[in-house]
Amino acid sequence: MSLISVNNLTFRYNGSLNNIFENVSFHIDTDWKLGLIGRNGKGKTTFLKLLQGKYKYNGTITKNVEVDYFPFEIKSKDKMAIEVIYEIAPNVEDWEIFKELNLLNTNNEILYRNFNLLSGGEQVKILLISLFLKGKNFLLIDEPTNHLDMETRNNLVNYLDKKKGFILVSHDRNLLDKVVNHMIAINNTNIEIRQGNFSTWKENKDRQDNFEIMQNEKLQKDINRLEIASRNNANWSNDVEKSKYKTNNSEATIDRGYLGHKSAKMMKKSKVIEQRIEKAIDEKSNLLKNIDKNESLKIVPIESRKKQLVVANDLQIKYNGNAIFSRVSFEIKNGDRIAIVGKNGIGKSSILKLMIGNEIQYNGEFKIANDLKISYVSQSTENLRRNLKSFAEENKIEESIFKAMLSKMGFSKMDFDTNIEEMSEGQKKKVLIAKSISEQANIYIWDEPLNYIDILTRIQIEDAILKYKPTLIFVEHDETFIEKVSTKVIRLEK
C-alpha cells in the first residue's frame, strides 16, 4: 500500500480567468478502486493529467508509485495484438495473457489479429490487460465504456471487479456500482472522497444537498434581514446628519455646538454599525454553497393521429447483400419508448437510419407513417461547427429554449461563447440532445445519445422522458438508462 497526497492544488489553463481547482487537498490509497465523477467540463480528465505531471500547477502532488493512463496511443497499430501487449508489458508470460483474456470472457484468437482490425471493444480489452500486466503501476482509466455494447461492458465489470489500484472515470452507473469501493466527486465548490460505490455516494449527496439547501434558505433570510437593517441604518444616519443643519431666513448653517457634537457622535456610531452589518453579510454569503441541482429539462412531444407510427415484419438489414441479424418484427405506437440492443456492428444504427429515410438495404416489410415529425440525435458529432447561435438558426430551433436546456445541463457562460468544434465530446452530445428536446416531434430517434454524457445529466434526461413520455426509439448501452425509460426492448441476434 502507498499513498497519493494532493495538498493545496490550484490549477487553471493559460488565458482562463477561472481556476479549475482551488486549494484542493486529499489523500488516495493506491489499493483503492476509485470512481471519478463530475459534470462534463468540471476537470476529470484534467485531474488525471495533473496526476501524470502533464501540466504545471500550484500546490503539491506527492506519490511513490508510477501511474499509467488509459486510453493511450499505440504507435504500431498494424502489429498483431499480442505484439502490442509485449511492447507494453515486455516481461509478461503467455499464460498470464491467456488468463487475463479468460477473465474478460474473450477468445485467445484475437491475439493473432492485427490490432487495427480489432473492434473498439476488442482494442479496449487488449489495452486494459496490457496495463494490468505491465506491473504494479496505479492506473488512470478514462471512460473505457464509450461505444461498448452491453455484453462487453458486463465483461469489463467482471474483469475490473477482480482488480485494484485504479481511478475509473465512467458515466456508467452499473459499472461504478459493481466495481468501485471509493468515489471521487468533482463538485462545484470542492473535490470530495467517500467510501462506497456510486449509489452510496448519490444517497449521501442527496441527503447533504437537501440539508445545505435548507441552510442556504436560512442564510439567505439572514442576509436579507441584515440588508434591510443596513438600509434602515443608512436612512437613520442621513436623518442624524440633517439634524445638525439650522435653517434661518432660508439660509442653512451648521450647528457647531451640542447638536453638532451629538450628530458627529451618532454618525460615527452609524458607520460602525454599517461596517458590522456589511461584515456579517459577507461572512454569511461566503457560507452559501453552490448546490449542483438537477434542474428539470422539458420535452414537448406531439401525439400523432396515426395509430401505428412504424411497422416492421420479419425485418433484416443487409450489408453487401447479406442479412446481418435474425428476422425481427415490431411496431411503434404513440407513447412507446423502445430500446434496440445487441452487439456492436449488428445493425442497430441501421434500423434508426432506415426510419429517418436513409437508403438502407433490407429484407421483409417496413412501413413508416406519412408526415411524421422526427427529431434525430446522431451517434456522431464530427460535423458540428460554428457557435450555438448559428447552430440554432441552421436547425430552426428557438435559441432561448435551446440555450436554457444547455444551461440546465451544466453549460457555463463561457461555454456559450465557445465554438462547438472546440467543445468536449460530452458537451457536443449535450448540444445534440438539447436540440432534440427543443424540437416538437411525433417521434424521437436517438442513436447512442449518452456517450460521454455525465451521470447527473443522464439522470436529468431520464426524469424528463419519464415526465413527458415522448414516443422514443433509441440505441443505448447504459443498462440503468434502458431499465428506467424503456417500455419495450428489441434484441438483435446474429
Side-chain angles (χ1 to χ4, degrees):
M1 182 200 81
S2 58
L3 290 177
I4 297 175
S5 297
V6 177
N7 293 292
N8 298 319
L9 173 65
T10 299
F11 172 78
R12 70 178 173 190
Y13 287 105
N14 289 335
S16 174
L17 299 176
N18 301 315
N19 289 332
I20 303 291
F21 304 114
E22 187 167 356
N23 294 327
V24 171
S25 298
F26 55 86
H27 304 286
I28 295 171
D29 186 322
T30 55
D31 280 343
W32 287 349
K33 303 191 287 186
L34 296 115
L36 174 58
I37 59 172
R39 285 273 196 189
N40 294 126
K42 286 292 183 184
K44 298 185 296 296
T45 299
T46 299
F47 175 65
L48 298 188
K49 290 185 177 179
L50 288 169
L51 289 181
Q52 297 173 76
K54 297 218 169 163
Y55 298 140
K56 291 183 179 179
Y57 55 86
N58 292 324
T60 61
I61 298 176
T62 58
K63 57 185 187 295
N64 55 5
V65 64
E66 294 297 318
V67 298
D68 284 319
Y69 177 78
F70 171 95
F72 52 92
E73 191 67 30
I74 297 297
K75 296 178 181 178
S76 305
K77 292 186 178 182
D78 57 341
K79 290 187 175 181
M80 284 195 303
I82 195 167
E83 293 176 306
V84 171
I85 295 174
Y86 289 150
E87 284 185 357
I88 299 166
N91 298 320
V92 70
E93 300 284 344
D94 284 357
W95 67 268
E96 294 176 293
I97 299 173
F98 299 153
K99 177 184 174 183
E100 295 297 304
L101 282 178
N102 187 55
L103 291 175
L104 279 166
N105 197 27
T106 302
N107 197 299
N108 294 343
E109 62 88 17
I110 74 166
L111 295 171
Y112 307 103
R113 286 157 48 195
N114 278 7
F115 182 84
N116 60 355
L117 297 180
L118 300 180
S119 68
E122 289 168 336
Q123 290 184 359
V124 166
K125 292 175 182 179
I126 293 298
L127 296 184
L128 270 180
I129 70 169
S130 300
L131 288 181
F132 278 109
L133 288 169
K134 183 178 178 181
K136 296 183 178 180
N137 291 358
F138 189 72
L139 302 192
L140 311 175
I141 306 171
D142 197 356
E143 298 193 36
T145 59
N146 286 324
H147 304 292
L148 297 188
D149 59 47
M150 203 176 297
E151 181 180 332
T152 306
R153 288 184 184 215
N154 288 331
N155 290 335
L156 191 60
V157 166
N158 296 330
Y159 183 72
L160 290 177
D161 186 44
K162 296 177 176 64
K163 301 297 182 180
K164 65 180 182 179
F166 58 80
I167 293 176
L168 171 66
V169 178
S170 179
H171 305 308
D172 188 313
R173 287 158 287 181
N174 181 56
L175 180 64
L176 292 172
D177 270 346
K178 292 182 178 179
V179 164
V180 307
N181 54 29
H182 286 77
M183 294 294 300
I184 310 178
I186 301 180
N187 301 320
N188 282 347
T189 57
N190 67 341
I191 294 180
E192 63 169 341
I193 296 183
R194 289 185 183 271
Q195 186 174 0
N197 61 14
F198 171 76
S199 292
T200 305
W201 173 85
K202 185 68 168 62
E203 184 180 335
N204 288 329
K205 183 72 165 62
D206 289 344
R207 188 162 50 242
Q208 178 183 324
D209 281 358
N210 289 333
F211 173 76
E212 288 185 355
I213 287 168
M214 289 189 291
Q215 290 295 101
N216 281 1
E217 289 172 354
K218 181 178 180 298
L219 287 168
Q220 195 60 61
K221 287 178 183 177
D222 289 345
I223 290 170
N224 293 340
R225 177 177 53 78
L226 288 167
E227 287 175 340
I228 292 170
S230 179
R231 286 195 296 271
N232 291 339
N233 181 73
N235 292 335
W236 173 71
S237 175
N238 289 334
D239 291 340
V240 169
E241 179 70 9
K242 289 177 184 177
S243 71
K244 73 180 183 182
Y245 290 91
K246 289 183 177 179
T247 303
N248 185 19
N249 297 327
S250 300
E251 291 185 6
T253 60
I254 299 176
D255 188 329
R256 304 291 183 184
Y258 171 75
L259 285 177
H261 174 73
K262 180 183 177 184
S263 171
K265 188 175 180 180
M266 293 177 74
M267 275 293 292
K268 184 176 180 181
K269 181 181 179 181
S270 170
K271 288 295 182 185
V272 170
I273 292 172
E274 187 175 346
Q275 289 172 0
R276 191 181 302 146
I277 291 173
E278 287 177 355
K279 183 180 179 182
I281 290 173
D282 186 55
E283 287 174 350
K284 288 183 181 291
S285 296
N286 288 334
L287 291 173
L288 288 174
K289 296 294 180 73
N290 188 6
I291 306 298
D292 199 349
K293 295 180 182 177
N294 257 14
E295 296 188 69
S296 298
L297 302 176
K298 188 174 183 179
I299 308 174
V300 188
I302 307 169
E303 186 171 334
S304 173
R305 295 179 181 179
K306 307 288 176 63
K307 184 177 179 182
Q308 294 174 316
L309 308 189
V310 177
V311 175
N313 288 312
D314 292 332
L315 178 67
Q316 291 179 302
I317 298 295
K318 296 194 296 184
Y319 286 169
N320 298 322
N322 297 317
I324 59 171
F325 57 75
S326 298
R327 299 175 187 275
V328 293
S329 298
F330 61 89
E331 62 180 17
I332 303 175
K333 298 179 180 178
N334 283 305
D336 284 341
R337 300 189 299 275
I338 298 176
I340 304 178
V341 300
K343 289 187 175 183
N344 285 343
I346 203 167
K348 301 183 299 293
S349 296
S350 296
I351 292 179
L352 301 189
K353 289 176 181 177
L354 183 63
M355 289 182 188
I356 64 172
N358 286 11
E359 291 291 330
I360 302 289
Q361 289 185 332
Y362 65 92
N363 294 327
E365 179 187 25
F366 178 81
K367 294 179 181 178
I368 186 164
N370 294 327
D371 303 322
L372 284 184
K373 189 167 184 184
I374 294 173
S375 179
Y376 176 63
V377 171
S378 167
Q379 187 180 133
S380 172
T381 62
E382 63 183 15
N383 293 323
L384 296 180
R385 296 286 185 273
R386 303 173 68 189
N387 57 34
L388 295 172
K389 179 179 178 65
S390 299
F391 180 85
E393 290 173 352
E394 289 168 6
N395 289 279
K396 299 178 181 178
I397 53 176
E398 180 62 44
E399 182 184 351
S400 59
I401 296 174
F402 170 59
K403 286 186 173 179
M405 294 302 103
L406 287 173
S407 179
K408 290 180 177 184
M409 288 191 279
F411 267 53
S412 66
K413 291 181 180 178
M414 189 167 62
D415 295 328
F416 286 130
D417 295 328
T418 304
N419 283 339
I420 302 175
E421 61 264 32
E422 297 171 6
M423 294 179 181
S424 70
E425 282 301 313
Q427 290 172 316
K428 289 177 183 178
K429 294 297 285 193
K430 286 181 181 180
V431 168
L432 293 179
I433 292 170
K435 165 193 168 291
S436 184
I437 63 177
S438 299
E439 296 172 327
Q440 291 183 294
N442 301 120
I443 183 169
Y444 294 82
I445 299 176
W446 292 358
D447 193 358
E448 295 193 26
L450 302 184
N451 279 332
Y452 305 101
I453 294 287
D454 60 76
I455 292 176
L456 293 177
T457 303
R458 291 182 185 217
I459 294 172
Q460 284 177 294
I461 295 168
E462 285 169 6
D463 291 344
I465 291 170
L466 294 174
K467 181 177 181 179
Y468 296 104
K469 296 179 171 56
T471 303
L472 172 68
I473 184 162
F474 64 97
V475 172
E476 185 49 59
H477 302 300
D478 184 327
E479 198 170 347
T480 306
F481 184 82
I482 293 170
E483 288 176 358
K484 288 195 172 186
V485 309
S486 66
T487 57
K488 299 178 184 177
V489 175
I490 299 171
R491 298 187 183 277
L492 303 185
E493 303 286 348
K494 284 190 177 182

